[in-house]
Amino acid sequence: MPMLVLPDPSLIVLIGAAGSGKSTFAARHFAPDEILSSDALRAAISGDAANQSVNKAAFRALHAALDRRLRTGRLTAVDATNVTREARRELLDRAAAAGIPTVAIVLDLAPDLVLARNAARPDRVVPEDVVRRHLDAVRQLVDDGALDADGFAAIHILRDPAEV
């Protein structure tokens, strides 16, 4: 696996479909207190990480915690799909306001692998049509170079499961 050198402090934006391994990657490469997870916040708010009805509250909490961390210059990894431009823009704008560089780490794994991983989850299987939409969004981001226009200080695309 290539060595990823990340500025400290920085905001790390994980991007990938549900089941691509974002949470696993985050847990392996960042300290628990460096990770802000949309799943964990949904679970804290509603008792269910899959409860999409509390997304607004979960992301308000995530953004508030992120703002506090950025103001104090703390390295932070955001563990969410981040496949929409709007989701990434919220994060990029907050980091820019704090003068903190933002790095994208894209998990661009084979669709069959991601779908199989999602189906094998012991706790929370995301509907296949949702995962396919995420996969299509990632594919478009990578193929169209759309992330280049977002303003990330660096973009790392991981395609091999061993890299993740």
Side-chain angles (χ1 to χ4, degrees), residues 71-120:
R71 276 194 306 271
T72 58
R74 297 184 65 206
L75 180 113
T76 305
V78 173
D79 176 11
T81 59
N82 294 311
V83 296
T84 67
R85 182 169 177 78
E86 296 78 24
R88 294 188 309 278
R89 184 86 269 139
E90 283 280 342
L91 302 173
L92 284 154
D93 288 349
R94 284 174 155 71
I100 302 290
T102 308
V103 176
I105 298 178
V106 183
L107 281 64
D108 181 23
L109 302 178
D112 290 345
L113 174 64
V114 174
L115 290 166
R117 283 181 175 177
N118 178 60

Side-chain angles (χ1 to χ4, degrees), residues 5-164:
V5 178
L6 304 173
D8 187 5
S10 63
L11 169 60
I12 310 304
V13 178
L14 299 177
I15 302 169
S20 64
K22 296 176 305 299
S23 297
T24 300
F25 180 89
R28 285 185 181 151
H29 299 287
F30 300 98
D33 67 313
E34 293 174 329
I35 303 166
L36 293 177
S37 164
S38 59
D39 286 349
L41 288 165
R42 279 192 294 270
I45 291 167
S46 73
D48 180 2
N51 184 351
Q52 299 295 306
S53 72
V54 297
N55 262 358
K56 284 188 186 219
F59 279 94
R60 270 194 308 272
L62 187 147
H63 293 149
L66 178 60
D67 288 342
R68 285 189 299 276
R69 294 181 62 80
L70 293 172
R71 276 194 306 271
T72 58
R74 297 184 65 206
L75 180 113
T76 305
V78 173
D79 176 11
T81 59
N82 294 311
V83 296
T84 67
R85 182 169 177 78
E86 296 78 24
R88 294 188 309 278
R89 184 86 269 139
E90 283 280 342
L91 302 173
L92 284 154
D93 288 349
R94 284 174 155 71
I100 302 290
T102 308
V103 176
I105 298 178
V106 183
L107 281 64
D108 181 23
L109 302 178
D112 290 345
L113 174 64
V114 174
L115 290 166
R117 283 181 175 177
N118 178 60
R121 284 176 157 178
D123 53 350
R124 181 176 75 86
V125 176
V126 175
E128 184 176 322
D129 64 310
V130 173
V131 177
R132 287 188 183 279
R133 278 197 308 271
H134 293 168
L135 288 164
D136 289 345
V138 170
R139 176 84 284 114
Q140 186 173 3
L141 287 172
V142 171
D143 290 350
D144 295 350
L147 289 174
D148 295 332
D150 279 354
F152 286 100
I155 300 167
H156 302 283
I157 301 174
L158 307 180
R159 293 186 171 97
D160 184 332
E163 293 177 320
V164 176

